Amino acid sequence: SLNDKAGAKADLESALESSVSEQASTTKEHMAVMKYIQSLHAECDWLLQYFDVRKQARADEIDSLGKAKAVLSGADYSLLQKASPLRARKFLRHA
């Protein structure tokens, strides 16, 4: 009877040690998952914060690429900012 109780106690102590070790491992894994979730949350916050800025930058880039394609296809944008040489010389004299 005393030997049975000693054996049961040893089994319970072994199970307790195993449970404590498993809890420590599970806690470490939980902390790693929480850290990963926190990093995802920060990334999502950044994406939401700068969505409009990035959207405008994409639109500007698409517009610029369209204009560049038009120029390469033969469109003439030189008339948009063409100034007479005489006017440029007058400006330079007064500066």
Side-chain angles (χ1 to χ4, degrees):
S1 163
L2 187 58
N3 288 336
D4 292 339
K5 288 182 181 181
K9 180 182 176 192
D11 290 342
L12 289 173
E13 286 175 349
S14 174
L16 176 63
E17 186 177 321
S18 175
S19 293
V20 168
S21 174
E22 185 178 333
Q23 180 189 15
S25 173
T26 304
T27 300
K28 286 181 184 177
E29 184 179 344
H30 179 260
M31 293 299 288
V33 169
M34 293 303 293
K35 187 175 181 179
Y36 178 68
I37 289 172
Q38 183 181 13
S39 72
L40 287 178
H41 189 37
E43 185 177 341
C44 287
D45 287 346
W46 186 87
L47 288 172
L48 287 172
Q49 182 179 1
Y50 292 105
F51 175 78
D52 292 329
V53 173
R54 294 171 66 235
K55 182 179 176 183
Q56 184 61 47
R58 281 191 305 274
D60 292 346
E61 182 70 16
I62 289 169
D63 184 49
S64 296
L65 289 172
K67 288 178 182 176
K69 183 178 176 184
V71 168
L72 292 173
S73 297
D76 187 11
Y77 284 103
S78 63
L79 297 175
L80 295 177
Q81 295 184 4
K82 190 171 186 179
S84 69
L86 180 61
R87 210 168 125 192
R89 277 189 238 131
K90 284 182 182 179
F91 175 76
L92 292 173
R93 274 190 233 142
H94 294 294

